[in-house]
Amino acid sequence: MKITTYSHNFGEHAVPTSLLEPIILMLRQLDFTFKSNCSTNLRKTIIQSLNSLGWSGKTRIHVEKGISITSMNQRVGLCLQTGNMSRFYADLLKLQSLYQKDKATCAIYILPTKSASLKIAKNVANFERLTNELSLFKHVITMPIYVIGLDEEEEQ
């Protein structure tokens, strides 16, 4: 798989290399075809791989509430978004909340690129939209975040 990255508030320095490098390697080795309605399969495939790398399952941001992020590992939050565009705003609020409560020091956010998202469905969250909006909200979303965009390898 082809990946594109973006660093928000020095996310590339905040996320420990020991956590980030295995994820990037795993994603690059992932053989996946983006097509209509593949979000669930993409999500399952990535979460299984994350679990094998030591990442947790869903992590609640508050003990008494059902609101959660995809995963945590060593105080690094991780969100994987393969659904509707509007969901990434909720993810950012959840991550920022964990950061402000000193439960997470930084985050990794994984989602398809715009070209990959268009193959899945209309209005799927995408790397370009998220990174553009993160730059607009730099002083609101203060958590360091390393964003990874996923796309198919270009045909040789």
Side-chain angles (χ1 to χ4, degrees), residues 9-41:
N9 286 339
F10 304 100
E12 81 278 14
H13 300 295
V15 177
T17 305
S18 62
L19 294 179
L20 186 58
E21 283 184 356
I23 289 176
I24 289 175
L25 181 63
M26 174 269 294
L27 292 170
R28 283 193 173 131
Q29 292 175 346
L30 200 61
D31 185 21
F32 192 86
T33 302
F34 289 91
K35 58 187 175 188
S36 181
N37 300 315
C38 71
S39 291
T40 302
N41 288 337

PDB file of all heavy atoms in Angstrom, residues 9-41:
ATOM      1  N   ASN A   9       1.445  19.728  14.588  1.00  0.00           N
ATOM      2  CA  ASN A   9       2.052  20.113  15.873  1.00  0.00           C
ATOM      3  C   ASN A   9       3.215  19.187  16.263  1.00  0.00           C
ATOM      4  O   ASN A   9       3.283  18.711  17.391  1.00  0.00           O
ATOM      5  CB  ASN A   9       1.006  20.180  16.986  1.00  0.00           C
ATOM      6  CG  ASN A   9       0.118  21.395  16.869  1.00  0.00           C
ATOM      7  OD1 ASN A   9       0.479  22.383  16.223  1.00  0.00           O
ATOM      8  ND2 ASN A   9      -1.058  21.344  17.466  1.00  0.00           N
ATOM      9  N   PHE A  10       4.080  18.928  15.301  1.00  0.00           N
ATOM     10  CA  PHE A  10       5.297  18.143  15.518  1.00  0.00           C
ATOM     11  C   PHE A  10       5.019  16.685  15.887  1.00  0.00           C
ATOM     12  O   PHE A  10       5.768  16.069  16.635  1.00  0.00           O
ATOM     13  CB  PHE A  10       6.213  18.809  16.555  1.00  0.00           C
ATOM     14  CG  PHE A  10       6.581  20.209  16.190  1.00  0.00           C
ATOM     15  CD1 PHE A  10       5.927  21.296  16.767  1.00  0.00           C
ATOM     16  CD2 PHE A  10       7.547  20.452  15.224  1.00  0.00           C
ATOM     17  CE1 PHE A  10       6.236  22.602  16.404  1.00  0.00           C
ATOM     18  CE2 PHE A  10       7.866  21.754  14.852  1.00  0.00           C
ATOM     19  CZ  PHE A  10       7.213  22.831  15.448  1.00  0.00           C
ATOM     20  N   GLY A  11       3.935  16.142  15.323  1.00  0.00           N
ATOM     21  CA  GLY A  11       3.586  14.745  15.568  1.00  0.00           C
ATOM     22  C   GLY A  11       4.696  13.778  15.199  1.00  0.00           C
ATOM     23  O   GLY A  11       4.881  12.754  15.853  1.00  0.00           O
ATOM     24  N   GLU A  12       5.481  14.102  14.151  1.00  0.00           N
ATOM     25  CA  GLU A  12       6.561  13.202  13.735  1.00  0.00           C
ATOM     26  C   GLU A  12       7.643  13.074  14.800  1.00  0.00           C
ATOM     27  O   GLU A  12       8.353  12.084  14.854  1.00  0.00           O
ATOM     28  CB  GLU A  12       7.177  13.633  12.388  1.00  0.00           C
ATOM     29  CG  GLU A  12       8.208  14.748  12.459  1.00  0.00           C
ATOM     30  CD  GLU A  12       7.664  16.177  12.521  1.00  0.00           C
ATOM     31  OE1 GLU A  12       6.457  16.368  12.782  1.00  0.00           O
ATOM     32  OE2 GLU A  12       8.452  17.117  12.323  1.00  0.00           O
ATOM     33  N   HIS A  13       7.761  14.070  15.664  1.00  0.00           N
ATOM     34  CA  HIS A  13       8.739  14.019  16.753  1.00  0.00           C
ATOM     35  C   HIS A  13       8.137  13.452  18.034  1.00  0.00           C
ATOM     36  O   HIS A  13       8.860  12.893  18.861  1.00  0.00           O
ATOM     37  CB  HIS A  13       9.307  15.414  17.032  1.00  0.00           C
ATOM     38  CG  HIS A  13      10.007  16.017  15.865  1.00  0.00           C
ATOM     39  ND1 HIS A  13      11.170  15.498  15.329  1.00  0.00           N
ATOM     40  CD2 HIS A  13       9.697  17.091  15.090  1.00  0.00           C
ATOM     41  CE1 HIS A  13      11.546  16.229  14.293  1.00  0.00           C
ATOM     42  NE2 HIS A  13      10.669  17.199  14.123  1.00  0.00           N
ATOM     43  N   ALA A  14       6.838  13.607  18.193  1.00  0.00           N
ATOM     44  CA  ALA A  14       6.178  13.191  19.438  1.00  0.00           C
ATOM     45  C   ALA A  14       5.877  11.699  19.483  1.00  0.00           C
ATOM     46  O   ALA A  14       5.966  11.084  20.549  1.00  0.00           O
ATOM     47  CB  ALA A  14       4.881  13.988  19.625  1.00  0.00           C
ATOM     48  N   VAL A  15       5.508  11.116  18.344  1.00  0.00           N
ATOM     49  CA  VAL A  15       5.182   9.684  18.326  1.00  0.00           C
ATOM     50  C   VAL A  15       6.486   8.890  18.355  1.00  0.00           C
ATOM     51  O   VAL A  15       7.351   9.085  17.499  1.00  0.00           O
ATOM     52  CB  VAL A  15       4.364   9.310  17.066  1.00  0.00           C
ATOM     53  CG1 VAL A  15       4.092   7.806  17.037  1.00  0.00           C
ATOM     54  CG2 VAL A  15       3.056  10.090  17.007  1.00  0.00           C
ATOM     55  N   PRO A  16       6.630   8.005  19.339  1.00  0.00           N
ATOM     56  CA  PRO A  16       7.867   7.217  19.418  1.00  0.00           C
ATOM     57  C   PRO A  16       8.101   6.392  18.150  1.00  0.00           C
ATOM     58  O   PRO A  16       7.186   5.739  17.636  1.00  0.00           O
ATOM     59  CB  PRO A  16       7.631   6.293  20.620  1.00  0.00           C
ATOM     60  CG  PRO A  16       6.586   6.974  21.432  1.00  0.00           C
ATOM     61  CD  PRO A  16       5.722   7.710  20.444  1.00  0.00           C
ATOM     62  N   THR A  17       9.324   6.428  17.663  1.00  0.00           N
ATOM     63  CA  THR A  17       9.708   5.676  16.476  1.00  0.00           C
ATOM     64  C   THR A  17       9.419   4.196  16.652  1.00  0.00           C
ATOM     65  O   THR A  17       9.014   3.515  15.699  1.00  0.00           O
ATOM     66  CB  THR A  17      11.211   5.897  16.175  1.00  0.00           C
ATOM     67  OG1 THR A  17      11.446   7.300  16.060  1.00  0.00           O
ATOM     68  CG2 THR A  17      11.637   5.212  14.900  1.00  0.00           C
ATOM     69  N   SER A  18       9.591   3.700  17.865  1.00  0.00           N
ATOM     70  CA  SER A  18       9.365   2.270  18.133  1.00  0.00           C
ATOM     71  C   SER A  18       7.904   1.866  17.919  1.00  0.00           C
ATOM     72  O   SER A  18       7.623   0.690  17.671  1.00  0.00           O
ATOM     73  CB  SER A  18       9.785   1.928  19.566  1.00  0.00           C
ATOM     74  OG  SER A  18       9.005   2.661  20.496  1.00  0.00           O
ATOM     75  N   LEU A  19       6.980   2.806  17.978  1.00  0.00           N
ATOM     76  CA  LEU A  19       5.569   2.530  17.702  1.00  0.00           C
ATOM     77  C   LEU A  19       5.201   2.851  16.264  1.00  0.00           C
ATOM     78  O   LEU A  19       4.402   2.150  15.640  1.00  0.00           O
ATOM     79  CB  LEU A  19       4.667   3.331  18.648  1.00  0.00           C
ATOM     80  CG  LEU A  19       4.735   2.969  20.125  1.00  0.00           C
ATOM     81  CD1 LEU A  19       3.815   3.871  20.935  1.00  0.00           C
ATOM     82  CD2 LEU A  19       4.384   1.508  20.348  1.00  0.00           C
ATOM     83  N   LEU A  20       5.771   3.913  15.745  1.00  0.00           N
ATOM     84  CA  LEU A  20       5.397   4.385  14.411  1.00  0.00           C
ATOM     85  C   LEU A  20       5.962   3.508  13.288  1.00  0.00           C
ATOM     86  O   LEU A  20       5.238   3.150  12.349  1.00  0.00           O
ATOM     87  CB  LEU A  20       5.854   5.839  14.228  1.00  0.00           C
ATOM     88  CG  LEU A  20       5.420   6.523  12.941  1.00  0.00           C
ATOM     89  CD1 LEU A  20       3.909   6.533  12.794  1.00  0.00           C
ATOM     90  CD2 LEU A  20       5.978   7.943  12.906  1.00  0.00           C
ATOM     91  N   GLU A  21       7.234   3.159  13.363  1.00  0.00           N
ATOM     92  CA  GLU A  21       7.864   2.396  12.278  1.00  0.00           C
ATOM     93  C   GLU A  21       7.187   1.063  11.993  1.00  0.00           C
ATOM     94  O   GLU A  21       6.961   0.731  10.826  1.00  0.00           O
ATOM     95  CB  GLU A  21       9.361   2.216  12.543  1.00  0.00           C
ATOM     96  CG  GLU A  21      10.143   3.474  12.238  1.00  0.00           C
ATOM     97  CD  GLU A  21      11.648   3.309  12.401  1.00  0.00           C
ATOM     98  OE1 GLU A  21      12.110   2.232  12.834  1.00  0.00           O
ATOM     99  OE2 GLU A  21      12.357   4.276  12.088  1.00  0.00           O
ATOM    100  N   PRO A  22       6.807   0.268  13.016  1.00  0.00           N
ATOM    101  CA  PRO A  22       6.110  -0.989  12.705  1.00  0.00           C
ATOM    102  C   PRO A  22       4.753  -0.767  12.022  1.00  0.00           C
ATOM    103  O   PRO A  22       4.354  -1.560  11.164  1.00  0.00           O
ATOM    104  CB  PRO A  22       5.929  -1.654  14.072  1.00  0.00           C
ATOM    105  CG  PRO A  22       6.987  -1.052  14.932  1.00  0.00           C
ATOM    106  CD  PRO A  22       7.156   0.358  14.441  1.00  0.00           C
ATOM    107  N   ILE A  23       4.068   0.313  12.371  1.00  0.00           N
ATOM    108  CA  ILE A  23       2.783   0.603  11.728  1.00  0.00           C
ATOM    109  C   ILE A  23       3.002   0.957  10.264  1.00  0.00           C
ATOM    110  O   ILE A  23       2.305   0.461   9.374  1.00  0.00           O
ATOM    111  CB  ILE A  23       2.033   1.733  12.461  1.00  0.00           C
ATOM    112  CG1 ILE A  23       1.537   1.232  13.813  1.00  0.00           C
ATOM    113  CG2 ILE A  23       0.864   2.253  11.620  1.00  0.00           C
ATOM    114  CD1 ILE A  23       0.876   2.303  14.663  1.00  0.00           C
ATOM    115  N   ILE A  24       3.964   1.815  10.001  1.00  0.00           N
ATOM    116  CA  ILE A  24       4.237   2.215   8.623  1.00  0.00           C
ATOM    117  C   ILE A  24       4.662   1.005   7.787  1.00  0.00           C
ATOM    118  O   ILE A  24       4.182   0.809   6.670  1.00  0.00           O
ATOM    119  CB  ILE A  24       5.286   3.346   8.574  1.00  0.00           C
ATOM    120  CG1 ILE A  24       4.646   4.639   9.107  1.00  0.00           C
ATOM    121  CG2 ILE A  24       5.832   3.542   7.164  1.00  0.00           C
ATOM    122  CD1 ILE A  24       5.582   5.802   9.236  1.00  0.00           C
ATOM    123  N   LEU A  25       5.512   0.157   8.329  1.00  0.00           N
ATOM    124  CA  LEU A  25       5.938  -1.052   7.627  1.00  0.00           C
ATOM    125  C   LEU A  25       4.738  -1.965   7.352  1.00  0.00           C
ATOM    126  O   LEU A  25       4.573  -2.463   6.233  1.00  0.00           O
ATOM    127  CB  LEU A  25       7.006  -1.793   8.443  1.00  0.00           C
ATOM    128  CG  LEU A  25       7.564  -3.071   7.819  1.00  0.00           C
ATOM    129  CD1 LEU A  25       8.277  -2.775   6.505  1.00  0.00           C
ATOM    130  CD2 LEU A  25       8.519  -3.741   8.791  1.00  0.00           C
ATOM    131  N   MET A  26       3.902  -2.172   8.348  1.00  0.00           N
ATOM    132  CA  MET A  26       2.714  -3.018   8.199  1.00  0.00           C
ATOM    133  C   MET A  26       1.791  -2.471   7.115  1.00  0.00           C
ATOM    134  O   MET A  26       1.311  -3.208   6.257  1.00  0.00           O
ATOM    135  CB  MET A  26       1.975  -3.105   9.540  1.00  0.00           C
ATOM    136  CG  MET A  26       0.633  -3.830   9.496  1.00  0.00           C
ATOM    137  SD  MET A  26      -0.824  -2.783   9.180  1.00  0.00           S
ATOM    138  CE  MET A  26      -0.890  -1.779  10.649  1.00  0.00           C
ATOM    139  N   LEU A  27       1.556  -1.158   7.127  1.00  0.00           N
ATOM    140  CA  LEU A  27       0.665  -0.554   6.136  1.00  0.00           C
ATOM    141  C   LEU A  27       1.247  -0.647   4.730  1.00  0.00           C
ATOM    142  O   LEU A  27       0.527  -0.922   3.765  1.00  0.00           O
ATOM    143  CB  LEU A  27       0.360   0.899   6.503  1.00  0.00           C
ATOM    144  CG  LEU A  27      -0.484   1.105   7.761  1.00  0.00           C
ATOM    145  CD1 LEU A  27      -0.517   2.578   8.148  1.00  0.00           C
ATOM    146  CD2 LEU A  27      -1.892   0.544   7.584  1.00  0.00           C
ATOM    147  N   ARG A  28       2.541  -0.429   4.598  1.00  0.00           N
ATOM    148  CA  ARG A  28       3.181  -0.521   3.276  1.00  0.00           C
ATOM    149  C   ARG A  28       3.097  -1.939   2.707  1.00  0.00           C
ATOM    150  O   ARG A  28       3.000  -2.131   1.507  1.00  0.00           O
ATOM    151  CB  ARG A  28       4.641  -0.080   3.350  1.00  0.00           C
ATOM    152  CG  ARG A  28       4.785   1.417   3.410  1.00  0.00           C
ATOM    153  CD  ARG A  28       6.198   1.873   3.166  1.00  0.00           C
ATOM    154  NE  ARG A  28       6.238   3.317   3.068  1.00  0.00           N
ATOM    155  CZ  ARG A  28       7.088   4.086   3.723  1.00  0.00           C
ATOM    156  NH1 ARG A  28       8.001   3.549   4.505  1.00  0.00           N
ATOM    157  NH2 ARG A  28       7.046   5.391   3.582  1.00  0.00           N
ATOM    158  N   GLN A  29       3.138  -2.933   3.588  1.00  0.00           N
ATOM    159  CA  GLN A  29       3.095  -4.328   3.144  1.00  0.00           C
ATOM    160  C   GLN A  29       1.670  -4.827   2.910  1.00  0.00           C
ATOM    161  O   GLN A  29       1.484  -5.896   2.344  1.00  0.00           O
ATOM    162  CB  GLN A  29       3.795  -5.221   4.168  1.00  0.00           C
ATOM    163  CG  GLN A  29       5.277  -4.978   4.230  1.00  0.00           C
ATOM    164  CD  GLN A  29       5.967  -5.779   5.321  1.00  0.00           C
ATOM    165  OE1 GLN A  29       5.332  -6.332   6.204  1.00  0.00           O
ATOM    166  NE2 GLN A  29       7.290  -5.823   5.251  1.00  0.00           N
ATOM    167  N   LEU A  30       0.699  -4.063   3.334  1.00  0.00           N
ATOM    168  CA  LEU A  30      -0.699  -4.454   3.201  1.00  0.00           C
ATOM    169  C   LEU A  30      -1.113  -4.473   1.737  1.00  0.00           C
ATOM    170  O   LEU A  30      -0.917  -3.493   1.021  1.00  0.00           O
ATOM    171  CB  LEU A  30      -1.560  -3.464   3.979  1.00  0.00           C
ATOM    172  CG  LEU A  30      -2.945  -3.874   4.393  1.00  0.00           C
ATOM    173  CD1 LEU A  30      -2.896  -5.080   5.321  1.00  0.00           C
ATOM    174  CD2 LEU A  30      -3.612  -2.719   5.110  1.00  0.00           C
ATOM    175  N   ASP A  31      -1.657  -5.591   1.304  1.00  0.00           N
ATOM    176  CA  ASP A  31      -2.151  -5.722  -0.062  1.00  0.00           C
ATOM    177  C   ASP A  31      -3.672  -5.587  -0.006  1.00  0.00           C
ATOM    178  O   ASP A  31      -4.365  -6.519   0.427  1.00  0.00           O
ATOM    179  CB  ASP A  31      -1.733  -7.077  -0.646  1.00  0.00           C
ATOM    180  CG  ASP A  31      -2.109  -7.224  -2.103  1.00  0.00           C
ATOM    181  OD1 ASP A  31      -2.326  -6.196  -2.780  1.00  0.00           O
ATOM    182  OD2 ASP A  31      -2.178  -8.374  -2.572  1.00  0.00           O
ATOM    183  N   PHE A  32      -4.173  -4.440  -0.409  1.00  0.00           N
ATOM    184  CA  PHE A  32      -5.601  -4.172  -0.293  1.00  0.00           C
ATOM    185  C   PHE A  32      -6.071  -3.394  -1.512  1.00  0.00           C
ATOM    186  O   PHE A  32      -5.388  -2.472  -1.967  1.00  0.00           O
ATOM    187  CB  PHE A  32      -5.891  -3.362   0.983  1.00  0.00           C
ATOM    188  CG  PHE A  32      -7.343  -3.281   1.321  1.00  0.00           C
ATOM    189  CD1 PHE A  32      -7.944  -4.280   2.065  1.00  0.00           C
ATOM    190  CD2 PHE A  32      -8.119  -2.222   0.870  1.00  0.00           C
ATOM    191  CE1 PHE A  32      -9.294  -4.230   2.360  1.00  0.00           C
ATOM    192  CE2 PHE A  32      -9.464  -2.157   1.167  1.00  0.00           C
ATOM    193  CZ  PHE A  32     -10.057  -3.158   1.909  1.00  0.00           C
ATOM    194  N   THR A  33      -7.231  -3.761  -2.020  1.00  0.00           N
ATOM    195  CA  THR A  33      -7.816  -3.069  -3.160  1.00  0.00           C
ATOM    196  C   THR A  33      -8.983  -2.216  -2.676  1.00  0.00           C
ATOM    197  O   THR A  33      -9.926  -2.733  -2.054  1.00  0.00           O
ATOM    198  CB  THR A  33      -8.319  -4.080  -4.214  1.00  0.00           C
ATOM    199  OG1 THR A  33      -7.214  -4.886  -4.615  1.00  0.00           O
ATOM    200  CG2 THR A  33      -8.893  -3.364  -5.423  1.00  0.00           C
ATOM    201  N   PHE A  34      -8.927  -0.930  -2.934  1.00  0.00           N
ATOM    202  CA  PHE A  34     -10.016  -0.037  -2.572  1.00  0.00           C
ATOM    203  C   PHE A  34     -11.126  -0.178  -3.609  1.00  0.00           C
ATOM    204  O   PHE A  34     -10.877  -0.073  -4.813  1.00  0.00           O
ATOM    205  CB  PHE A  34      -9.529   1.414  -2.517  1.00  0.00           C
ATOM    206  CG  PHE A  34      -8.622   1.682  -1.354  1.00  0.00           C
ATOM    207  CD1 PHE A  34      -7.251   1.536  -1.479  1.00  0.00           C
ATOM    208  CD2 PHE A  34      -9.140   2.060  -0.129  1.00  0.00           C
ATOM    209  CE1 PHE A  34      -6.411   1.774  -0.403  1.00  0.00           C
ATOM    210  CE2 PHE A  34      -8.311   2.292   0.954  1.00  0.00           C
ATOM    211  CZ  PHE A  34      -6.949   2.154   0.822  1.00  0.00           C
ATOM    212  N   LYS A  35     -12.332  -0.445  -3.123  1.00  0.00           N
ATOM    213  CA  LYS A  35     -13.491  -0.581  -4.000  1.00  0.00           C
ATOM    214  C   LYS A  35     -14.744  -0.212  -3.216  1.00  0.00           C
ATOM    215  O   LYS A  35     -14.677   0.034  -2.008  1.00  0.00           O
ATOM    216  CB  LYS A  35     -13.586  -2.004  -4.550  1.00  0.00           C
ATOM    217  CG  LYS A  35     -13.687  -3.069  -3.478  1.00  0.00           C
ATOM    218  CD  LYS A  35     -13.598  -4.447  -4.077  1.00  0.00           C
ATOM    219  CE  LYS A  35     -13.569  -5.479  -2.957  1.00  0.00           C
ATOM    220  NZ  LYS A  35     -13.296  -6.802  -3.441  1.00  0.00           N
ATOM    221  N   SER A  36     -15.860  -0.180  -3.889  1.00  0.00           N
ATOM    222  CA  SER A  36     -17.121   0.201  -3.270  1.00  0.00           C
ATOM    223  C   SER A  36     -17.397  -0.623  -2.014  1.00  0.00           C
ATOM    224  O   SER A  36     -17.271  -1.855  -2.016  1.00  0.00           O
ATOM    225  CB  SER A  36     -18.254   0.009  -4.286  1.00  0.00           C
ATOM    226  OG  SER A  36     -19.482   0.397  -3.720  1.00  0.00           O
ATOM    227  N   ASN A  37     -17.739   0.080  -0.951  1.00  0.00           N
ATOM    228  CA  ASN A  37     -18.149  -0.536   0.323  1.00  0.00           C
ATOM    229  C   ASN A  37     -17.105  -1.462   0.947  1.00  0.00           C
ATOM    230  O   ASN A  37     -17.453  -2.467   1.553  1.00  0.00           O
ATOM    231  CB  ASN A  37     -19.479  -1.273   0.148  1.00  0.00           C
ATOM    232  CG  ASN A  37     -20.584  -0.337  -0.284  1.00  0.00           C
ATOM    233  OD1 ASN A  37     -20.733   0.756   0.260  1.00  0.00           O
ATOM    234  ND2 ASN A  37     -21.343  -0.737  -1.290  1.00  0.00           N
ATOM    235  N   CYS A  38     -15.843  -1.137   0.848  1.00  0.00           N
ATOM    236  CA  CYS A  38     -14.782  -1.973   1.430  1.00  0.00           C
ATOM    237  C   CYS A  38     -14.332  -1.483   2.810  1.00  0.00           C
ATOM    238  O   CYS A  38     -13.405  -2.044   3.391  1.00  0.00           O
ATOM    239  CB  CYS A  38     -13.578  -2.062   0.486  1.00  0.00           C
ATOM    240  SG  CYS A  38     -12.626  -0.532   0.363  1.00  0.00           S
ATOM    241  N   SER A  39     -14.993  -0.460   3.330  1.00  0.00           N
ATOM    242  CA  SER A  39     -14.566   0.140   4.608  1.00  0.00           C
ATOM    243  C   SER A  39     -14.441  -0.866   5.736  1.00  0.00           C
ATOM    244  O   SER A  39     -13.461  -0.854   6.483  1.00  0.00           O
ATOM    245  CB  SER A  39     -15.545   1.237   5.038  1.00  0.00           C
ATOM    246  OG  SER A  39     -15.452   2.331   4.191  1.00  0.00           O
ATOM    247  N   THR A  40     -15.441  -1.724   5.894  1.00  0.00           N
ATOM    248  CA  THR A  40     -15.429  -2.692   6.990  1.00  0.00           C
ATOM    249  C   THR A  40     -14.257  -3.642   6.864  1.00  0.00           C
ATOM    250  O   THR A  40     -13.563  -3.914   7.850  1.00  0.00           O
ATOM    251  CB  THR A  40     -16.761  -3.473   7.027  1.00  0.00           C
ATOM    252  OG1 THR A  40     -17.832  -2.532   7.187  1.00  0.00           O
ATOM    253  CG2 THR A  40     -16.800  -4.452   8.183  1.00  0.00           C
ATOM    254  N   ASN A  41     -14.007  -4.141   5.664  1.00  0.00           N
ATOM    255  CA  ASN A  41     -12.884  -5.062   5.458  1.00  0.00           C
ATOM    256  C   ASN A  41     -11.537  -4.375   5.688  1.00  0.00           C
ATOM    257  O   ASN A  41     -10.629  -4.954   6.277  1.00  0.00           O
ATOM    258  CB  ASN A  41     -12.925  -5.678   4.060  1.00  0.00           C
ATOM    259  CG  ASN A  41     -14.039  -6.682   3.918  1.00  0.00           C
ATOM    260  OD1 ASN A  41     -14.508  -7.245   4.902  1.00  0.00           O
ATOM    261  ND2 ASN A  41     -14.472  -6.908   2.694  1.00  0.00           N
TER     262      ASN A  41
END
